Amino acid sequence: MNKLSQLAAAALEKNSDDPAIEFEGRWYSWNEVNALANRLTGLIDDCGGPANGPIVFIARSQAASIAAFLALIRTGRTIRMVYPFQSPAGIVRDIQMMQPSIVVATQRELKEEVLAGIREQNAAAIVISEMDAQLVSGFETSTAALPADLPADPQIEILTSGTTGKPKPFAVKHEMLGTYFIGSTAAIFGKDDKPAEPLPALLYYPLGNISGLFSILPALLNRYKLIVHDRFTVQGWRDYIVKYRPPASGTPAAAVQMILDADIPKEDFASLQFFSTGAAPLDPRVQKEFEERYNIPVLLSYGATEFGGPVCAMSPDLYAEFGKTKFGSVGRPFGGAEIRVVDAESKAVLTAGEEGLLQVISPKMGPDWIQTTDLGIIDEDGFLFLRGRADGAIIRGGFKILPETIQQALLGHPAISAVAAVGVPDQRLGQVPAVAMEVKPGVTAPSLEELEAYLREQVLATYIPVHWLFVDELPKTVSLKVDRPAVIRLFTKEAAA
């Protein structure tokens, strides 16, 4: 049994009536968590098939899914996460690619089309609901062969965020998770000690991505309480802050403007000494408005699934030393991580203050430099400032346009709450910029002529969008990042109509 499985087994070892997981207003005890875990483990053993066969897990964030996930980790098998927020045909394609011995899923994901796909793989199927698990009739036995690509060491194949396309599997070994994820949140802020009376952790990220693991594993493996929301809402997050009064909290970057738009009273955040955000860029104007309204420092961080989580952060200690002189920085590397900036063409390492492509060494993932498509600058003090993504550039008749430049300029308009700039096909120029925009609540939408005139004062003429669209809400992934393919479809569908 590997270290992660041992930790999961230890967490499930002691029965008690102590609360473990809250979902939809109800607390489930460790006794109930253990009962489901043991029930699921028994069903897996009864299914037959190879003892180390991979298990596909299709589940949204809810109490039973969390308990089942802990049980699956305890088995020591490779777990292959399938994205539940897609069509049955998409789920079937993933199952075919992953070649499971057993599929564990919630009822809403086990449509007839999905069951047919499981049958083709000769896999068994187990359905979880509430705090129970059952074999699916007709799928009680697995006769699936071991996949040829099954890794020697067990791993969890989590999902990327899906901002530039369909979420993709990314493997993280049990060994890495067991070594680095137990005190991971504390480590970002320079502390490795466990609190004597920890507050409940809050999960609103998808179970199957790196932020979901980052939220739940430290809590579950340390037997802390966990509050589970199936998705992020400003109201749900605010209620948690008001009830439990944590000294620090945070949200995805996209939620910061949502909080400002909700006009939450300053006193609701009286306990917060710091607010952290990451996973996507935060517009400097939004950061400044939040800090000025609530008098709470915003601490930015930088990470990715490929890094095994955050590798840079503006910690409270760094903020205390440098204050606002490093405003907009995602901080310095921590935990042994290294960063450098290289020229996009020659890959030559650049000096302090020069902009280029970011490369990262994350000790969690190995000793090699990881090439990113993120543009950044490292200043003379070693602080990282992000400048956008090279792979999101719009090539307009040979001119390179960064969407972030358009977005940041339009966000300066007093009526605009959120913007997504994308490139859409153009017969003459190859690509042209298009923008989808949200208007702030209670504000009248400005005319497109006004917005174009405003933007022309901020950017070069090549950056002016050809297509403009007001939307009630920008399409987002379940990680609250802008879903860029969905934004592009808004314009391609409009053109087709």
Side-chain angles (χ1 to χ4, degrees):
M1 185 178 283
N2 60 70
K3 182 177 180 180
L4 183 65
S5 299
Q6 290 174 346
L7 290 166
L12 291 167
E13 194 173 69
K14 298 177 182 177
N15 285 329
S16 75
D17 290 323
D18 293 340
I21 302 170
E22 183 194 57
F23 180 65
E24 294 184 340
R26 177 186 168 185
W27 278 101
Y28 294 87
S29 71
W30 278 103
N31 280 335
E32 292 172 288
V33 170
N34 292 347
L36 174 58
N38 294 334
R39 168 75 171 158
L40 179 57
T41 303
L43 294 176
I44 290 171
D45 292 340
D46 293 342
C47 287
N52 61 333
I55 297 175
V56 157
F57 191 38
I58 319 169
R60 306 172 193 233
S61 295
Q62 58 188 45
S65 301
I66 303 298
F69 191 42
L70 191 57
L72 295 179
I73 292 172
R74 184 176 61 178
T75 69
R77 295 195 190 205
T78 287
I79 305 168
R80 294 178 162 171
M81 311 295 290
V82 168
Y83 191 66
F85 304 92
Q86 60 178 322
S87 68
I91 292 175
V92 170
R93 284 194 297 269
D94 287 348
I95 290 173
Q96 291 171 340
M97 178 182 65
M98 295 177 175
Q99 301 177 273
S101 294
I102 300 168
V103 174
V104 178
T106 50
Q107 184 67 59
R108 66 191 299 179
E109 269 65 63
L110 290 178
K111 304 288 195 299
E112 286 301 320
E113 187 176 348
V114 173
L115 289 172
I118 296 172
R119 181 175 286 109
E120 289 179 3
Q121 298 298 310
N122 298 313
I126 299 172
V127 60
I128 54 174
S129 60
E130 283 294 322
M131 275 292 174
D132 193 17
Q134 300 287 339
L135 286 166
V136 177
S137 178
F139 295 83
E140 294 90 348
T141 303
S142 172
T143 58
L146 281 177
D149 66 346
L150 187 68
D153 297 322
Q155 58 192 30
I156 300 177
E157 295 177 7
I158 58 177
L159 303 165
T160 57
S161 59
T163 53
T164 58
K166 185 179 183 293
K168 300 177 288 294
F170 183 84
V172 288
K173 293 182 178 180
H174 281 214
E175 177 185 5
M176 186 278 278
L177 293 170
T179 300
Y180 290 99
F181 266 53
I182 306 309
S184 52
T185 303
I188 292 179
F189 297 104
K191 299 184 295 183
D192 293 316
D193 55 313
K194 296 180 182 178
E197 291 292 337
L199 295 174
L202 177 63
L203 170 68
Y204 45 72
Y205 284 105
L207 183 59
N209 72 8
I210 194 70
S211 296
L213 290 184
F214 208 74
S215 298
I216 68 172
L217 282 183
L220 286 178
L221 299 178
N222 288 303
R223 288 179 65 94
Y224 299 160
K225 297 174 185 176
L226 180 65
I227 297 173
V228 179
H229 295 174
D230 61 354
R231 61 187 177 89
F232 176 85
T233 65
V234 172
Q235 187 63 46
W237 176 79
R238 175 263 174 201
D239 291 347
Y240 170 84
I241 299 299
V242 170
K243 181 174 182 178
Y244 292 102
R245 295 296 180 184
S249 187
T251 69
V256 181
Q257 184 63 59
M258 295 165 63
I259 293 168
L260 291 170
D261 290 346
D263 200 22
I264 298 174
K266 183 177 180 179
E267 53 268 24
D268 285 0
F269 298 158
S271 68
L272 296 182
Q273 301 170 29
F274 300 101
F275 179 95
S276 61
T277 189
L282 178 65
D283 184 83
R285 283 180 291 261
V286 176
Q287 179 181 352
K288 185 172 185 290
E289 182 179 353
F290 185 95
E291 291 184 342
E292 290 179 349
R293 184 182 302 185
Y294 294 112
N295 196 28
I296 301 170
V298 175
L299 306 182
L300 306 180
S301 63
Y302 171 65
T305 303
E306 293 79 2
F307 311 152
V311 290
C312 289
M314 179 65 77
S315 68
D317 288 345
L318 287 177
Y319 184 84
E321 181 178 356
F322 291 91
K324 295 185 178 180
T325 62
K326 304 297 183 182
F327 179 83
S329 171
V330 295
R332 285 172 170 167
F334 69 92
E338 299 178 48
I339 58 173
R340 68 184 185 188
V341 170
V342 301
D343 181 81
E345 300 297 330
S346 69
K347 296 299 186 287
V349 178
L350 302 179
T351 59
E354 293 186 288
E355 180 178 308
L357 289 173
L358 189 64
Q359 293 183 341
V360 173
I361 291 179
S362 175
K364 297 190 287 289
M365 306 308 291
D368 299 327
W369 286 101
I370 301 170
Q371 180 67 59
T372 78
T373 56
D374 294 316
L375 298 168
I377 294 171
I378 302 172
D379 74 6
E380 65 279 1
D381 295 316
F383 284 82
L384 173 61
F385 295 80
L386 298 177
R387 290 293 184 261
R389 290 177 63 99
D391 61 352
I394 302 165
I395 308 302
R396 180 179 189 170
F399 291 95
K400 183 177 180 180
I401 299 166
L402 292 181
E404 292 82 2
T405 302
I406 301 172
Q407 290 165 184
Q408 290 175 5
L410 283 174
L411 284 171
H413 191 284
I416 301 302
S417 175
V419 180
V422 295
V424 297
D426 182 83
Q427 188 173 3
R428 184 171 66 89
L429 298 173
Q431 280 185 311
V432 292
V435 292
M437 303 162 288
E438 293 179 25
V439 177
K440 291 181 179 179
V443 176
T444 301
S447 68
L448 296 184
E449 291 77 12
E450 176 187 337
L451 284 176
E452 180 172 332
Y454 174 85
L455 189 57
R456 285 187 181 278
E457 295 179 357
Q458 315 293 322
V459 300
L460 298 173
T462 52
Y463 280 72
I464 301 302
V466 172
H467 306 286
W468 304 72
L469 185 65
F470 287 112
V471 296
D472 293 333
E473 185 176 0
L474 292 175
K476 295 186 181 69
T477 70
V478 290
S479 301
L480 281 188
K481 297 181 182 180
V482 171
D483 186 336
R484 307 196 76 79
V487 175
I488 292 171
R489 288 195 296 272
L490 292 177
F491 294 98
T492 54
K493 287 179 180 178
E494 187 180 69

